Amino acid sequence: MNNSLTNTGRLPAAGLRALLVLTLVTGVVYPLAVTGVAQGLFPGRANGSETVSDGRVVGSSLIGQSYALPLKKGRRAPEADLRWFQGRPADGLGTNSVNTRYSLLVSGATNLSADSAELIQQVEDAREAVVKDNSVPGYTVAPSDVPADAVTSSGSGLDPDISPRYARIQVHRVAAENGLPVPEVARLVEKHTEGRTLGFMGEPRVNVLELNIALRELVTDGR
């Protein structure tokens, strides 16, 4: 009986020690070790893949941004600022009063089915806008030239990349809007085109934020 009482009395103390040890290992040591390795080997990714321009953070290479003109009175959505390369549509995003530039708080897909009349209309409207915006004197974009990523949003609505094909059909418009030679802008796109990850995963892509930062530097140098 005495042994049973003694053993029973020791159980809470043993359990408490186990709790403290596990808390220390999994709640302090392990997170610090992971953080230290991440900061040492992958500091950029560990800190949110921040993109810096002119000494200040201008965004993340993992999150798409909009390049639009100020919203005009009477319009429901701002017009695209045609001086810049445009990213994918963000139809899956809702609206809020906290972040009016890009609705990060409510990212997501539209959940519209492939045969949805609303989705079909969005795609047709987007294709018409891409053709109209990127057709400039001496260069005409045909509807068949418009790739899928130019008229559809990603699952999150925040895809930071576009296809090289979509980037290339914007070259003439960007060059004309900024008074730059077309070959220079085309070389900019080629320079910022990334291949498949490890040579076989995903598709070739162009990061819009990084491309527009390089474009701004090119425009600034030209002036």
Side-chain angles (χ1 to χ4, degrees):
M1 179 67 70
N2 290 338
N3 290 337
S4 298
L5 287 173
T6 302
N7 292 337
T8 302
R10 289 175 179 173
L11 286 178
L16 180 60
R17 285 196 297 272
L19 175 62
L20 291 175
V21 170
L22 290 174
T23 299
L24 179 65
V25 172
T26 62
V28 179
V29 176
Y30 178 73
L32 287 177
V34 172
T35 301
V37 170
Q39 290 290 344
L41 299 179
F42 314 102
R45 295 182 182 181
N47 293 319
S49 299
E50 296 176 337
T51 300
V52 178
S53 177
D54 294 332
R56 64 187 183 90
V57 176
V58 295
S60 169
S61 62
L62 301 178
I63 300 177
Q65 297 187 27
S66 62
Y67 295 89
L69 297 169
L71 182 62
K72 294 181 180 179
K73 186 177 181 180
R75 292 186 60 89
R76 297 181 59 184
E79 298 177 358
D81 189 340
L82 300 181
R83 295 174 300 171
W84 306 104
F85 284 93
Q86 298 294 313
R88 297 184 66 175
D91 296 321
L93 301 182
T95 57
N96 63 69
S97 58
V98 178
N99 184 342
T100 56
R101 181 179 180 191
Y102 218 71
S103 309
L104 300 179
L105 299 181
V106 285
S107 69
T110 62
N111 288 330
L112 297 174
S113 63
D115 60 351
S116 165
E118 182 180 350
L119 178 61
I120 293 172
Q121 188 62 54
Q122 286 179 359
V123 170
E124 290 178 350
D125 290 345
R127 180 183 291 112
E128 182 180 344
V130 170
V131 170
K132 176 178 177 293
D133 290 344
N134 293 286
S135 293
V136 296
Y139 180 79
T140 302
V141 177
S144 59
D145 296 332
V146 181
D149 63 298
V151 296
T152 57
S153 61
S154 63
S156 68
L158 300 171
D159 193 341
D161 304 317
I162 57 176
S163 65
R165 181 179 173 188
Y166 185 27
R168 285 193 292 268
I169 68 173
Q170 299 185 60
V171 165
H172 287 75
R173 181 255 300 163
V174 169
E177 290 286 335
N178 290 283
L180 295 170
V182 170
E184 282 193 37
V185 180
R187 282 195 294 270
L188 211 59
V189 170
E190 293 303 317
K191 182 179 179 180
H192 287 82
T193 298
E194 301 178 44
R196 292 180 172 87
T197 303
L198 298 180
F200 68 94
M201 292 191 296
E203 296 293 333
R205 60 199 180 276
V206 180
N207 187 280
V208 181
L209 174 59
E210 294 176 356
L211 178 60
N212 279 331
I213 290 174
L215 172 64
R216 183 175 65 180
E217 292 174 353
L218 183 62
V219 171
T220 302
D221 291 343
R223 291 176 181 173

